[in-house]
């Protein structure tokens, strides 16, 4: 199999790829998971055991000292944890054959690589990361003043849009440069991690060799991830939420997933109306209901294939 992979790569690129052993190992893991889980059609034909979704890893975004995003009265990390725990309970009550594993159950910091590592080590069938969206805070010129020499000096103030609302769900991809606000916000916690360069060795969006290898992994579960994300968006829409779509982005928490994986933004904490909704019991119950139905729909289809 490794010879096949190298055959796809130009000879001039091989020296750098050899250095990328950490990333190459992930390809072996993914191929093994694919075959074991029956994702390849030939694997299904060779096995009498039907594919079943047995383990779902739920990831409450951020936590601990990684929790700066907030609204008027609440923080993203707290909302994400509350919804994640509610969703886990709902899955256990409604899908008795499914085991739920959490990346965190309290306000603690968990590195991004460890979150997906938990899913990979437990051979999870699905990885779902729950977050709240937020519009970026920007500096704008609010006026001018004159200094002692009579020169005009700009006066700045910080502003944040509070009107933007809606839900969107991400799968691992590279995206466009004009859609990077979410990427920057969700990936910035990497800088909080000690030895982050070692932990994310091989994940370099600017390196052609890394992109090729990473693409091999992403494509293995791309279709299934998009399907799950689409089911989630469909359920949100049925509840009257504003649809911001399914998007592919370079999110570190999804980059090395050995299973279908999504990151869903359940609303804008920077929008007062949605902040109130996401903190209310009725709002959280509706969000959990949306996600549970999406998982049930995906599970039913995946187990019939």
């Amino acid at each position: 199999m490794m010879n096949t992979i190298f055959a796809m790569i130009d000879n001039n690129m091989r020296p750098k790829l050899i250095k990328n052993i950490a990333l190459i190992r992930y390809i072996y893991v993914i191929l093994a998971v694919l075959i074991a889980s029956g994702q390849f059609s030939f694997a299904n034909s060779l096995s009498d055991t039907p594919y079943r979704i047995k383990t779902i890893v739920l990831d409450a975004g951020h936590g601990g000292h990684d929790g700066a995003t907030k609204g008027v009265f609440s923080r993203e990390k707290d909302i994400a944890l509350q919804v994640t725990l509610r969703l886990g309970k709902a899955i256990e009550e409604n899908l008795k054959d499914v085991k739920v594993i959490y990346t965190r159950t309290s306000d603690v910091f968990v590195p991004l690589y460890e979150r997906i590592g938990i899913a990979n080590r437990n051979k999870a069938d699905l990885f779902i990361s729950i977050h709240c969206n937020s519009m970026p805070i920007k500096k704008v010129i609010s006026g001018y003043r004159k200094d002692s020499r009579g020169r005009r000096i700009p006066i700045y103030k910080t502003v944040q849009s509070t009107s933007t609302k809606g839900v969107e769900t991400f799968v691992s991809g590279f995206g466009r440069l004009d859609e990077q606000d979410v990427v920057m916000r969700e990936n910035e916690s990497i800088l909080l991690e000690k030895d982050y360069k070692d932990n994310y060795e091989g994940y370099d969006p600017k390196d052609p060799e890394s992109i090729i290898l990473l693409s091999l992994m992403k494509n293995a579960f791309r279709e299934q991830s998009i399907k799950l994300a689409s089911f989630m968006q469909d359920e949100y829409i049925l509840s009257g939420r504003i649809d911001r779509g399914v998007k592919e982005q370079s999110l570190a928490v999804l980059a090395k997933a050995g299973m279908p994986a999504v990151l869903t933004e359940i609303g804008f904490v920077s929008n007062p109306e949605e902040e109130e909704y996401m903190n209310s019991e009725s709002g959280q119950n509706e969000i959990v209901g949306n996600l549970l139905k999406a998982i049930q729909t995906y599970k039913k289809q995946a187990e019939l294939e």
Side-chain angles (χ1 to χ4, degrees):
M1 181 60 67
M2 187 56 65
N3 289 334
T4 301
I5 293 173
F6 274 111
M8 299 168 61
I9 312 301
D10 186 86
N11 288 334
N12 294 328
M13 296 166 63
R14 293 186 185 183
K16 291 184 179 181
L17 288 175
I18 291 173
K19 296 179 182 179
N20 219 337
I21 298 301
L23 189 55
I24 292 174
R25 289 198 186 104
Y26 278 99
I27 293 179
Y28 275 131
V29 171
I30 286 178
L31 291 175
V33 173
L34 279 171
I35 294 172
S37 64
Q39 294 292 332
F40 284 143
S41 58
F42 72 81
N44 281 329
S45 64
L46 294 176
S47 175
D48 293 331
T49 304
Y51 172 67
R52 293 287 183 266
I53 293 178
K54 299 178 180 179
T55 304
I56 298 176
V57 170
L58 300 180
D59 172 50
H62 306 281
H65 58 277
D66 174 24
T69 302
K70 60 184 179 180
V72 174
F73 65 90
S74 63
R75 300 176 297 185
E76 175 192 9
K77 64 176 183 177
D78 299 326
I79 299 172
L81 181 59
Q82 292 164 11
V83 171
T84 297
L85 295 177
R86 283 178 183 262
L87 177 59
K89 183 178 179 181
I91 292 173
E92 291 171 340
E93 291 176 348
N94 292 275
L95 300 173
K96 301 293 186 181
D97 57 334
V98 174
K99 178 181 180 182
V100 176
I101 297 175
Y102 302 94
T103 59
R104 70 180 181 98
T105 57
S106 60
D107 185 20
V108 296
F109 173 70
V110 181
L112 295 183
Y113 74 91
E114 175 59 18
R115 293 169 189 256
I116 201 61
I118 292 171
N120 286 335
R121 288 194 300 271
N122 284 279
K123 299 180 180 178
D125 299 288
L126 293 177
F127 176 85
I128 300 171
S129 188
I130 296 175
H131 292 247
C132 302
N133 225 328
S134 180
M135 291 300 291
I137 298 174
K138 299 179 179 180
K139 281 187 176 182
V140 299
I141 297 176
S142 61
Y144 293 88
R145 63 179 178 82
K146 290 186 178 181
D147 64 9
S148 57
R149 298 182 180 180
R151 295 176 300 184
R152 291 181 58 184
I153 305 298
I155 300 173
Y156 293 94
K157 69 175 182 179
T158 57
V159 297
Q160 182 182 38
S161 170
T162 59
S163 60
T164 305
K165 61 169 64 175
V167 287
E168 55 193 352
T169 303
F170 294 86
V171 301
S172 188
F174 295 104
R176 300 201 306 265
L177 292 178
D178 60 346
E179 296 177 342
Q180 295 300 309
D181 282 344
V182 171
V183 175
M184 293 174 63
R185 185 170 63 83
E186 301 299 358
N187 284 353
E188 66 182 2
S189 65
I190 290 177
L191 301 178
L192 301 175
E193 301 173 20
K194 184 179 180 181
D195 301 326
Y196 74 93
K197 291 184 179 180
D198 293 332
N199 295 329
Y200 296 94
E201 179 184 358
Y203 183 69
D204 182 3
K206 296 181 181 179
D207 180 58
E209 293 84 353
S210 296
I211 291 175
I212 290 173
L213 287 173
L214 203 55
S215 294
L216 290 173
M217 294 190 297
K218 289 176 179 178
N219 288 337
F221 299 103
R222 179 178 180 273
E223 182 179 346
Q224 294 93 336
S225 298
I226 291 176
K227 183 178 292 186
L228 175 59
S230 298
F231 289 151
M232 289 180 173
Q233 289 299 122
D234 290 344
E235 293 297 334
Y236 289 143
I237 294 169
L238 288 174
S239 293
R241 308 294 302 283
I242 294 176
D243 178 27
R244 292 173 60 87
V246 174
K247 301 176 182 178
E248 295 184 74
Q249 291 289 5
S250 301
L251 298 171
V253 72
L254 304 180
K256 295 181 178 179
M259 73 292 299
V262 301
L263 183 153
T264 187
E265 303 273 5
I266 61 175
F268 279 80
V269 73
S270 53
N271 178 286
E273 180 183 343
E274 289 204 330
E275 181 183 18
E276 188 74 38
Y277 170 79
M278 291 186 294
N279 277 278
S280 69
E281 184 173 0
S282 60
Q284 291 189 2
N285 285 337
E286 185 170 75
I287 292 168
V288 167
N290 295 154
L291 296 176
L292 177 62
K293 288 178 182 177
I295 293 169
Q296 289 173 318
T297 302
Y298 177 88
K299 184 176 186 293
K300 183 177 180 180
Q301 288 197 12
E303 293 179 349
L304 287 175
E305 293 178 353

